[in-house]
Amino acid sequence: MREPLIDLKNITKSYDGQVILDDLSLSIHENEFVTLLGPSGCGKTTTLRIIGGFETPDMGQVMFHGQDITNMPPHKRNLNTVFQKYALFTHMNIAENIAFGLKIKGKSKAYIQDKIKYALKLVNLDGYEKRMPDSLSGGQQQRIAIARAIVNEPKVLLLDEPLGALDLKMRQDMQYELIRLKNELGITFIYVTHDQEEALTMSDTIVVMNQGYIQQMGTPEKIYNEPENAFVADFIGESNILDGTMIWDRLVEILGVRFDCVDTGFGTNRPVDVVIRPEDVILLDPERAQLKGIVTSVIFRGVHYEMSVEVGGFVWKVHSTTMFPEGTQVGIRVEPSNIQIMNKPESEDEEAVSRNGKK
Ligand SMILES: Nc1ncnc2c1ncn2[C@@H]1O[C@H](COP(=O)(O)OP(=O)(O)O)[C@@H](O)[C@H]1O
Ligand SMILES: [Mg+2]
């Protein structure tokens, strides 16, 4: 295992007596695109500010290349931060905005000119030197903010919801732009977002957080396909989460019906959470299915139809390329391998951690 570039060790942080981060540990490797993902208020920005040096933890350490930087001020750290509000200086043109940090560092005119050209090219805004910030679109302004960070040649770029203020189309363009930048620059990105699609698109590693705890950490595929608990399953993509009873190995009962599944080791007659993705629900002739329900809504989503199917009080989310009109009686089938069994949270506290802050 490579030595991590950044190591957060047992970080605890409280505000006004309220614990925001509780014993949080996290390792980030060089050249990784790591995304902190979670609902609003879960502690993402606080974590990023601690890495950036804008906050000091109450307990724990921030290590950088094996060196303790917990108390090092931001400007001495080899990282740069781009915040959600681009905060360009409105009275300076684009070149002056980008040059600002370099001037403070006392870099030569020629060096600064070179850097400005290079950075503008990198964010696809060549020739924008003389423009004023308010003549640029939101997306362009955010790219300038990124260019301004890049010219400092940080080892790590910290980005706090940098696309949050942009509309959907521009956000998607910028996501590709950021992936390209990451590949070209070969630096480490630590990215904060509450948008799971954004996280799945861009990240090498996703850190799912809720209420100051890391719920799960892994590749986008791992997090999506093998969520470790109901909170992650629900937050990443859409899910049907049902109360179930594990009858014994490979047999689970939901809504009064027994289903074959592939999971073992949950004991016998144990309450469990059962997670089934909407795209894994198969609708068919009710005569051929164990569960029967009625379609209560249909929305066309371009690639598939999104349908709601009510079965004994539970509303299933179903994605299918075949449309069943509202009011139709349908049967539901799920392949055993698409039924995911999860332990229910053990204590009241854990229940709160995993159930609250759902999207
Ligand atoms: N400077 C502060 N003073 C008091 N409370 C704060 C401060 N910064 C953040 N908080 C609180 O800490 C919690 C986590 O905030 P934050 O890290 O910004 O969450 P996120 O970025 O995930 O939305 C929130 O409840 C927020 O109100
Ligand atoms: Mg935040």
Side-chain angles (χ1 to χ4, degrees), residues 242-259 261 266-274 341-342 344:
L242 300 106
D243 289 322
T245 305
M246 201 67 184
I247 304 299
W248 49 68
D249 280 356
R250 299 190 186 84
L251 191 67
V252 65
E253 184 174 305
I254 38 179
L255 300 167
V257 173
R258 291 181 178 193
F259 283 81
C261 61
F266 286 86
T268 53
N269 293 314
R270 274 269 313 282
V272 288
D273 282 327
V274 181
I341 309 296
M342 290 169 196
K344 285 200 167 286

Side-chain angles (χ1 to χ4, degrees), residues 15-16 18 20 38-47 55 160 192:
Y15 289 120
D16 314 320
Q18 204 195 343
I20 304 299
S40 179
C42 73
K44 304 181 295 294
T45 294
T46 304
T47 306
E55 291 285 353
D160 192 357
V192 162

Side-chain angles (χ1 to χ4, degrees), residues 4-287:
L5 177 64
I6 294 172
D7 221 357
L8 300 182
K9 289 188 170 169
N10 309 98
I11 300 285
T12 298
K13 178 77 185 172
S14 299
Y15 289 120
D16 314 320
Q18 204 195 343
V19 179
I20 304 299
L21 299 177
D22 194 356
D23 199 29
L24 182 136
S25 294
L26 173 63
S27 298
I28 293 167
H29 291 89
E30 205 156 352
N31 234 330
E32 219 179 352
F33 196 125
V34 178
T35 300
L36 308 181
L37 172 69
S40 179
C42 73
K44 304 181 295 294
T45 294
T46 304
T47 306
L48 203 72
R49 288 175 61 81
I50 286 173
I51 297 172
F54 304 101
E55 291 285 353
T56 320
D58 303 332
M59 276 187 287
Q61 290 171 297
V62 182
M63 309 295 289
F64 191 87
H65 262 319
Q67 185 198 353
D68 187 339
I69 60 161
T70 315
N71 296 306
M72 186 186 276
H75 63 274
K76 295 225 169 113
R77 300 185 182 199
N78 205 349
L79 13 100
N80 263 93
T81 311
V82 177
F83 295 101
Q84 175 166 5
K85 307 231 169 51
Y86 1 102
L88 300 178
F89 305 115
T90 51
H91 59 288
M92 293 183 191
N93 70 24
I94 296 309
E96 289 162 344
N97 262 285
I98 296 174
F100 189 76
L102 297 176
K103 274 191 186 148
I104 288 179
K105 285 188 188 158
K107 299 287 184 188
S108 77
K109 254 202 161 108
Y111 178 90
I112 293 176
Q113 285 315 314
D114 261 16
K115 279 284 165 196
I116 292 172
K117 251 190 126 56
Y118 163 77
L120 283 177
K121 207 173 162 64
L122 215 52
V123 297
N124 273 336
L125 289 173
D126 319 48
Y128 275 66
E129 282 89 342
K130 293 271 149 36
R131 295 276 293 268
M132 297 304 283
D134 62 7
S135 76
L136 270 54
S137 73
Q140 291 171 330
Q141 291 189 39
Q142 190 58 290
R143 271 140 74 185
I144 297 300
I146 292 167
R148 188 173 59 178
I150 286 168
V151 291
N152 295 304
E153 298 181 356
K155 274 199 92 72
V156 182
L157 204 53
L158 307 177
L159 299 135
D160 192 357
E161 313 233 12
L163 311 183
L166 308 181
D167 64 40
L168 180 66
K169 178 72 181 71
M170 206 178 279
R171 223 161 52 218
Q172 288 169 341
D173 290 348
M174 281 297 290
Q175 289 171 11
Y176 290 112
E177 199 97 332
L178 285 171
I179 295 170
R180 185 181 58 78
L181 268 180
K182 188 245 161 186
N183 292 337
E184 278 183 29
L185 292 171
I187 61 179
T188 307
F189 277 59
I190 307 179
Y191 193 93
V192 162
T193 185
H194 65 275
D195 180 338
Q196 46 106 358
E197 242 178 77
E198 197 162 286
L200 290 171
T201 308
M202 298 202 288
S203 321
D204 298 317
T205 303
I206 297 178
V207 180
V208 184
M209 293 177 64
N210 192 31
Q211 299 193 348
Y213 291 97
I214 294 177
Q215 298 283 320
Q216 189 175 353
M217 181 167 167
T219 62
E221 290 83 357
K222 182 100 182 156
I223 300 263
Y224 189 88
N225 293 326
E226 295 163 53
E228 274 171 20
N229 58 42
F231 173 81
V232 177
D234 193 37
F235 195 73
I236 302 282
E238 281 183 276
S239 280
N240 295 291
I241 300 177
L242 300 106
D243 289 322
T245 305
M246 201 67 184
I247 304 299
W248 49 68
D249 280 356
R250 299 190 186 84
L251 191 67
V252 65
E253 184 174 305
I254 38 179
L255 300 167
V257 173
R258 291 181 178 193
F259 283 81
D260 291 326
C261 61
V262 296
D263 289 288
T264 59
F266 286 86
T268 53
N269 293 314
R270 274 269 313 282
V272 288
D273 282 327
V274 181
V275 175
I276 299 168
R277 296 283 186 199
E279 62 269 27
D280 293 333
V281 180
I282 302 164
L283 298 185
L284 69 175
D285 182 349
E287 302 308 314

